[in-house]
Structure formats: C-alpha cells, structure tokens
Amino acid sequence: MPFNLNLSSKIYVAGHRGLVGSALLRRLQAKGYTNLVTRTHAELELRDQAAVQAFFAAEKPEYVILAAAKVGGIYANNTYPAEFIHDNLVIQSNVIHSAWQHNVNRLLFLGSSCIYPKNAPQPMTEECLLTGPLEPTNRPYALAKIAGIEMCWSYNRQYGTRYMAAMPTNLYGPNDNYDLNNSHVLPAMIRKLHLAKLAQAGDIEGINRDEATHGIIPADLKAKLLESCTLNLAPDVEPCPLPLEPDVVLWGTGTPKREFLYSDDMADACLYLLEQSEDKLDSLFNDEQPPLVNIGCGEDLTIRELAELVAEVVGFKGTLTFDAGKPDGTMRKVMDVSRINALGWQRTMQLKDGIALSYQDMLSKI
C-alpha cells in the first residue's frame, strides 16, 4: 500500500500503558495525531489470536506500533523464562500476522539491545545480529525478539510489506516499572536509593506509602530499612539516632557498562522512522539484511557511575556496596547509532536530566 501518513491516519499503539507505549502515545499526541487507537490488556488480550484478528478487522488501523511485550530485568528473566519466550512470541506473531491480513501500511516492531551476542564488538552495529551466542540471563526474551525481527523481514520479502524493527537501548522514564523483583536496573536503582533516603530520615510512613504504590519491598530489605528508622513508641520522643551512612547493596560488581535512553527520546526516534518517506527508508528493505535500526545515544557508563549519579539526583548520602556474588550480565553494551543518525535523528535528553524527571514522576505517583 502507498505511504500516506498524516495527522488523521489511524495508528494503533499496542502496549500504550507501559514505559515505551505511553511515551509513544505522548509523542504522537504532542505532534497532533488525532486518530489514535489503544486497548488495555483487559480490553484486548494480545495472546488471543482470534481476539486480535477481530480487533484488526473491526478497527482497520493504517499504521501499527508494536510496543506490547513482557519485559523485566535479570531476576525476572531468570525466574520466568517460559513466560518471557512464550508471551512475546505469541503477542508479536498475532499482531504482525493480523497487520498483514488487514493491509496495514507500515508497522514498527519494538525490540531490545539484548538481541545482540553477549560478546558482540562494541559499539554494536545492526550487522552483529546472529553472529554469536546470546547472554544466557535473558536468552528466551532475546530469542523471541529476534523471531519478531525475522518475521517482519519475512513478510516484507514475501508479501512486499514495509515492516521495520527498532531496537532501543536500555530505556527509562515516566511510567517505568519500579518493582524491585521485576524492574530493569535504572528504575530499581532509583527506588532503592529513594527508600534508603527515607530510612535515613526515619520516614516509616513514607516507606509504607512507597510500598503501597510501587510494589512489595523484599522482606530482607524492608527489615533493614525499618531497622534504620525505628521510631520510639512514645509519641513525644523524636526518632532514634540513625546511621550516618546507611548502606545500599546493589547487584554485581558495578563494573559493567550500559547505555541509557530517555523514553521520550525513544518515542521521538520511532515516530521519526514512521514518518519518513519510502525513498529515505529504501535501504532498510532488501533481501540481504533485516529491516533493523538501533535506537540509542551511543554513550555508556559503568553501573557504579550510574549509581553515583542516581544517588546525587535522589539525594542519598550513604554508602553504595556492590554484591559481586550476583550476576553482572554482559560486561559492556552500547549501541552503534550511526544508521539512525544518518537518517537525521539524534537524542536530546541528557542522562542526569532524564533521571531527575523520572524520579519526580515516581514521586508523583506515591
């Protein structure tokens, strides 16, 4: 079908409530797009093939952004590998196939930098895909995302579709997941240091409000927090003296290097890709390479440096300790973003500023 995206085009954003999808929705609305289609999980179960097909038949979206996925950090990937591979394979298969069946003009599939080999040359180019073994800790999720890329490419080659796959680096921003068991490294770090700051101030009520909003605090961590801020039961007595330097324990050695991109920058990049002309994107659609584009900033820092930056933003004054007995994951992951830069896009948000905005968003929900 011809490319004719305009502000009244019907665009379906799958997964609009998560970190990625909500950023996409904000960006689309900010640019003036008026015909946006969304469904909550309760309204449309994307793992249900018949329901997805019925939705596409009824709504007939012209463009699709597939941001719906089961995501999580190292702990979640290790604990629920079956759900990570099954749910993601089923969701993307249902949506991509229905998009083809109902003549969607253009589809953008969102993946992750974990698709690249564990020991890929750094920075990682799109050509690194399938050139070596994956990081074991998130292999099921990565394989599902690789299958989604292959599916987009296969439909392009067989049916002449124009489906693209965008691979963002580690994302953070408004509406992030702060569950300490299932979140990614940056939101988990923000919350841990916020809780430690509350403990430092003896704010038991604040800790309880945080837990009610952002999920259960692991029992061992909560016990440590409460020990640091125990109040004297007498109502007219001030909180007991607190440790001057409460200790926050973070997973791993602190030496791995990671790249982080603010979610609104990611959304801007995705919409930029969706809006480009056929001629500008022509090099993505061929029989030699998948229609794959990295989205990132091309800069990284160590996990220890990240923790120190988060502590500065949050206002935590205590000690940071790293548990070397916990897994580090891949030692370095940074995207080569020359392809999307050559198309004319670059990020705008600096990391410290983005962390500050994310922290304020987290606090606003408590």
Side-chain angles (χ1 to χ4, degrees):
M1 296 182 68
F3 175 70
N4 58 357
L5 180 64
N6 58 69
L7 295 181
S8 62
S9 295
K10 181 175 276 193
I11 305 172
Y12 170 46
V13 180
H16 72 286
R17 284 188 164 179
L19 169 69
V20 174
S22 63
L24 287 162
L25 205 58
R26 284 194 303 274
R27 186 60 182 153
L28 286 160
Q29 290 168 338
K31 291 203 72 174
Y33 287 90
T34 58
N35 198 1
L36 305 177
V37 180
T38 61
R39 291 291 188 276
T40 65
H41 178 76
E43 293 169 333
L44 176 60
E45 171 56 79
L46 293 176
R47 293 172 297 182
D48 183 335
Q49 185 181 50
V52 173
Q53 289 177 341
F55 164 78
F56 272 83
E59 289 292 341
K60 295 181 172 57
E62 299 169 81
Y63 298 86
V64 172
I65 306 176
L66 178 46
K70 183 174 181 63
V71 299
I74 293 175
Y75 176 86
N77 275 271
N78 280 335
T79 307
Y80 310 108
E83 284 87 346
F84 272 86
I85 192 166
H86 173 270
D87 290 0
N88 285 301
L89 283 172
V90 173
I91 288 169
Q92 63 205 33
S93 295
N94 287 344
V95 173
I96 293 170
H97 189 66
S98 289
W100 166 70
Q101 286 181 312
H102 296 280
N103 300 311
V104 165
N105 286 4
R106 190 176 282 182
L107 177 144
L108 184 64
F109 170 68
L110 274 295
S112 163
S113 61
C114 71
I115 64 165
Y116 294 118
K118 178 178 182 178
N119 298 314
Q122 302 292 321
M124 299 177 292
T125 67
E126 290 87 349
E127 289 77 15
C128 289
L129 183 66
L130 297 175
T131 59
L134 299 167
E135 163 59 44
T137 55
N138 54 22
R139 179 182 167 89
Y141 176 77
L143 285 170
K145 289 299 180 180
I146 291 169
I149 297 167
E150 189 70 24
M151 194 169 182
C152 289
W153 192 22
S154 297
Y155 278 61
N156 289 350
R157 287 182 292 160
Q158 184 169 341
Y159 300 123
T161 54
R162 288 295 182 262
Y163 298 167
M164 296 177 287
M167 298 299 116
T169 188
N170 299 295
L171 299 172
Y172 69 99
N175 298 316
D176 214 335
N177 170 25
Y178 292 94
D179 187 300
L180 292 175
N181 284 326
N182 298 308
S183 61
H184 289 108
V185 58
L186 183 46
M189 195 178 285
I190 291 172
R191 187 179 176 202
K192 263 196 169 185
L193 291 172
H194 170 67
L195 288 169
K197 176 186 173 182
L198 294 177
Q200 200 171 22
D203 190 352
I204 291 178
E205 183 181 345
I207 291 171
N208 290 333
R209 285 199 307 270
D210 172 276
E211 186 170 39
T213 303
H214 293 299
I216 293 173
I217 302 170
D220 56 342
L221 174 59
K222 189 169 185 180
K224 185 177 179 182
L225 292 168
L226 295 179
E227 182 182 0
S228 294
C229 64
T230 300
L231 301 174
N232 191 301
L233 294 177
D236 58 342
V237 177
E238 293 296 317
C240 67
L242 303 171
L244 294 177
E245 288 197 347
D247 181 59
V248 172
V249 179
L250 301 170
W251 274 33
T253 63
T255 58
K257 301 187 79 174
R258 292 290 184 271
E259 172 188 18
F260 297 92
L261 185 72
Y262 192 60
S263 58
D264 284 30
D265 272 348
M266 175 280 309
D268 185 64
C270 290
L271 187 51
Y272 185 85
L273 287 172
L274 207 63
E275 290 176 333
Q276 298 311 299
S277 67
E278 291 287 336
D279 289 344
K280 194 162 187 179
L281 296 176
D282 189 59
S283 62
L284 291 179
F285 304 114
N286 58 74
D287 291 341
E288 285 71 47
Q289 292 183 339
L292 180 60
V293 181
N294 288 342
I295 298 178
C297 61
E299 301 172 4
D300 59 359
L301 75 170
T302 68
I303 295 299
R304 180 178 292 277
E305 290 169 336
L306 176 68
E308 291 168 351
L309 188 59
V310 172
E312 180 184 348
V313 170
V314 169
F316 172 69
K317 306 298 184 184
T319 303
L320 300 173
T321 300
F322 289 85
D323 181 358
K326 294 294 192 295
D328 272 332
T330 305
M331 290 308 295
R332 189 183 183 213
K333 285 178 68 176
V334 60
M335 294 284 215
D336 183 307
V337 290
S338 56
R339 182 172 292 181
I340 195 165
N341 288 170
L343 289 170
W345 181 88
Q346 289 187 329
R347 68 89 184 261
T348 58
M349 182 68 70
Q350 297 302 310
L351 182 58
K352 185 177 179 180
D353 296 334
I355 291 173
L357 289 172
S358 298
Y359 183 46
Q360 290 307 310
D361 177 74
M362 188 192 86
L363 293 178
S364 73
K365 294 177 169 58
I366 297 175

